[in-house]
């Protein structure tokens, strides 16, 4: 079932979770171990992120360098199929531009269609950690909008290969990303919103936001979207603060602000266990306020912290 169908049929705010594929070599059991405790909340769907592999350069004895793959998280499509089969619940695979040719994307979409997966979250992806700027694949896409156009074309039965006939088994429901605190490369929020609007006009059915720790930023963003004529559902993306290190890592990595009050409380903590308590309480308050404001879905980035998300959701539901 499509994310928008879940939203349209809902009587109350829905719950969804987002997971990362495990590192190469781990089994699907690690996904089930992660998700099992959260299933009692009957999430409407589970997102599975997509990652290009990362490389580093290792010096050889002769002084030259070897490009070595250091982290790989394959399996988004397979994990989505396993989740749907194991839990009878919808899965939302992320699709990214980075590292993929149009043909590879087409093949991934055909696989998803065969598997009966109705949803995709369409993203650009970031530059690999050791590179400064995002580079498109020579036969790939530069912006999420271009990838979205490819999905929309396939929804309309248009393939890259002319000899392929007919449409996909399913017409994908398409989500895109939005940034309450602006995407870090955009010159300003208004320009960023202009590009977001183009994604919606291009066929995006809903928006999921980057994490934020100050609900006012989300509410302001929604107001600005509505003023700009963006009418699709906007789903808040939520993550708990769980370590002191994240006070600097999260702003640096995701370009989000930490509210004074949260930062002050976390800085007073002596251990990360205490920070986790502070972060959990903060997320509970954020979630309660968003739910009271009638957001369509509370979307939690679980990222290795299912017990925290469990505590939050069991408190607010
Ligand atoms: P775009 O919409 O393409 O925007 C990128 C930048 O380009 C923005 O600054 C925008 O303003 C600008 N822009 C857009 N169109 C144009 C244009 N035509 N001309 C000039 N500028 C333009 N990353 C992963 O690798 N894997 C994941 O699974 C993943 N999941 C995510 C889930 C969510 C909910 C979010 C919020 C992010 C996720 N990301 C993921 C990170 C995401 O890929 C990065 O934030 C990336 O830098 C931008 O992706 P986007 O889809 O927003 O890009």
């Amino acid at each position: 079932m499509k994310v928008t169908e879940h939203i349209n049929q809902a009587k109350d705010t829905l719950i969804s979770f987002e997971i990362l594929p495990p590192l190469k070599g781990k089994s699907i059991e690690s996904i089930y171990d992660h998700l099992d405790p959260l299933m009692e909340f009957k999430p409407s769907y589970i997102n599975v992120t997509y990652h290009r592999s990362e490389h580093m350069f290792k010096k050889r004895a002769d002084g030259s360098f070897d490009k070595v793959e250091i982290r790989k998280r394959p399996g988004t499509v397979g994990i989505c199929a396993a989740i749907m089969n194991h839990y009878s619940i919808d899965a939302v695979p992320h699709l990214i531009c980075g590292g993929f040719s149009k043909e590879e994307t087409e093949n991934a979409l055909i696989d998803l269609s065969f598997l009966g997966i109705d949803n995709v979250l369409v993203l650009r992806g970031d530059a690999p950690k050791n590179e400064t700027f995002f580079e498109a694949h020579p036969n790939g896409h530069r912006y999420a909008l271009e990838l979205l156009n490819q999905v929309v074309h396939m929804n309309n039965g248009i393939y890259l290969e002319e000899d392929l006939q007919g449409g996909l088994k399913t017409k994908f429901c398409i989500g895109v990303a939005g940034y309450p605190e602006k995407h870090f490369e955009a010159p300003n929020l208004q320009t960023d919103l202009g590009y977001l609007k183009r994604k919606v006009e291009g066929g995006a059915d809903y928006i999921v936001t980057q994490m934020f720790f100050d609900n006012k930023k989300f509410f302001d963003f929604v107001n600005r979207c509505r003023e700009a004529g963006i009418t699709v559902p906007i789903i808040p993306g939520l993550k708990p603060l769980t370590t002191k290190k994240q006070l600097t890592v999260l702003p640096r990595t995701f370009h989000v602000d930490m509210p004074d009050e949260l930062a002050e409380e976390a800085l007073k903590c002596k251990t990360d266990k205490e920070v986790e308590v502070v972060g959990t309480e903060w997320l509970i308050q954020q979630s309660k306020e968003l739910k009271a404001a009638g957001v369509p879905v509370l979307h939690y980035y679980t990222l290795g912290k299912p017990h925290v998300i469990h505590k939050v959701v069991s408190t607010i539901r």
Side-chain angles (χ1 to χ4, degrees):
M1 191 162 139
K2 296 178 187 340
V3 167
T4 44
E5 289 171 340
H6 282 289
I7 292 174
N8 292 339
Q9 290 175 16
K11 295 194 176 61
D12 199 355
T13 297
L14 302 173
I15 300 289
S16 61
F17 300 122
E18 182 166 315
I19 59 165
L20 268 76
L23 283 169
K24 188 165 79 176
K26 293 211 170 172
S27 84
I28 190 72
E29 294 306 324
S30 63
I31 294 283
Y32 299 151
D33 289 348
H34 190 89
L35 285 176
D36 278 352
L38 297 173
M39 282 303 137
E40 66 173 278
F41 304 122
K42 301 195 173 18
S44 299
Y45 54 91
I46 309 278
N47 280 52
V48 183
T49 58
Y50 210 124
H51 300 272
R52 58 202 285 184
S53 43
E54 291 170 24
H55 297 87
M56 65 176 286
F57 289 92
K58 264 193 172 166
K59 206 169 184 177
R60 292 201 203 103
D62 66 2
S64 62
F65 287 89
D66 252 344
K67 196 175 177 186
V68 183
E69 194 176 68
I70 47 168
R71 284 159 73 82
K72 191 163 183 192
R73 292 181 182 273
T76 300
V77 172
I79 291 168
C80 284
I83 286 174
M84 288 179 67
N85 190 38
H86 190 75
Y87 295 115
S88 300
I89 188 177
D90 284 301
V92 183
H94 293 193
L95 277 187
I96 60 172
C97 307
F100 295 92
S101 69
K102 290 174 193 161
E103 285 75 15
E104 286 165 333
T105 296
E106 182 162 295
N107 290 340
L109 288 166
I110 291 169
D111 284 350
L112 294 174
S113 175
F114 280 145
L115 291 164
I117 292 173
D118 295 331
N119 299 284
V120 285
L121 187 71
V122 165
L123 302 142
R124 186 195 70 177
D126 279 319
K129 285 204 173 65
N130 46 359
E131 292 170 26
T132 318
F133 296 106
F134 174 83
E135 292 284 349
H137 184 285
N139 185 28
H141 299 298
R142 175 80 192 81
Y143 294 109
L145 176 62
E146 295 170 8
L147 177 55
L148 181 133
N149 288 338
Q150 184 175 359
V151 181
V152 169
H153 270 70
M154 289 189 69
N155 274 350
N156 294 333
I158 303 165
Y159 291 82
L160 294 175
E161 297 287 342
E162 283 169 15
D163 57 337
L164 276 170
Q165 294 293 316
L168 291 167
K169 182 173 160 230
T170 180
K171 286 196 191 307
F172 292 107
C173 172
I174 307 171
V176 291
Y179 301 82
E181 300 180 56
K182 181 182 95 59
H183 184 263
F184 70 103
E185 290 168 22
N188 56 55
L189 187 55
Q190 207 49 36
T191 312
D192 205 21
L193 278 181
Y195 290 126
L196 179 58
K197 190 172 181 200
R198 282 174 60 180
K199 291 194 279 192
V200 174
E201 287 167 349
D205 297 296
Y206 66 97
I207 296 164
V208 192
T209 75
Q210 181 59 281
M211 70 185 74
F212 55 89
F213 293 87
D214 179 354
N215 283 354
K216 186 173 180 312
K217 301 227 160 117
F218 174 80
F219 294 133
D220 288 350
F221 174 72
V222 173
N223 287 338
R224 290 187 75 157
C225 286
R226 300 310 182 214
E227 280 163 19
I230 297 171
T231 56
V232 295
I234 303 180
I235 297 170
L238 297 164
K239 178 181 159 51
L241 177 78
T242 52
T243 66
K244 218 177 243 193
K245 203 172 157 196
Q246 287 179 339
L247 283 172
T248 47
V249 171
L250 296 179
R252 194 176 65 210
T253 312
F254 298 101
H255 309 273
V256 294
D257 257 4
M258 287 290 164
D260 282 348
E261 201 188 326
L262 175 61
E264 271 175 30
E265 284 302 311
L267 284 169
K268 277 189 224 155
C269 296
K270 292 194 178 58
T271 62
D272 279 344
K273 200 82 215 133
E274 289 173 28
V275 177
E276 190 175 290
V277 173
V278 169
T280 305
E281 185 51 36
W282 188 270
L283 187 54
I284 289 170
Q285 295 312 325
Q286 265 195 288
S287 304
K288 280 184 177 167
E289 193 182 21
L290 290 161
K291 193 170 185 292
V295 297
V297 185
L298 292 166
H299 180 70
Y300 291 99
Y301 301 116
T302 63
L303 306 172
K305 295 286 173 189
H307 61 285
V308 174
I309 304 302
H310 188 279
K311 168 95 183 147
V312 171
V313 182
S314 56
T315 311
I316 59 136
R317 83 185 160 140

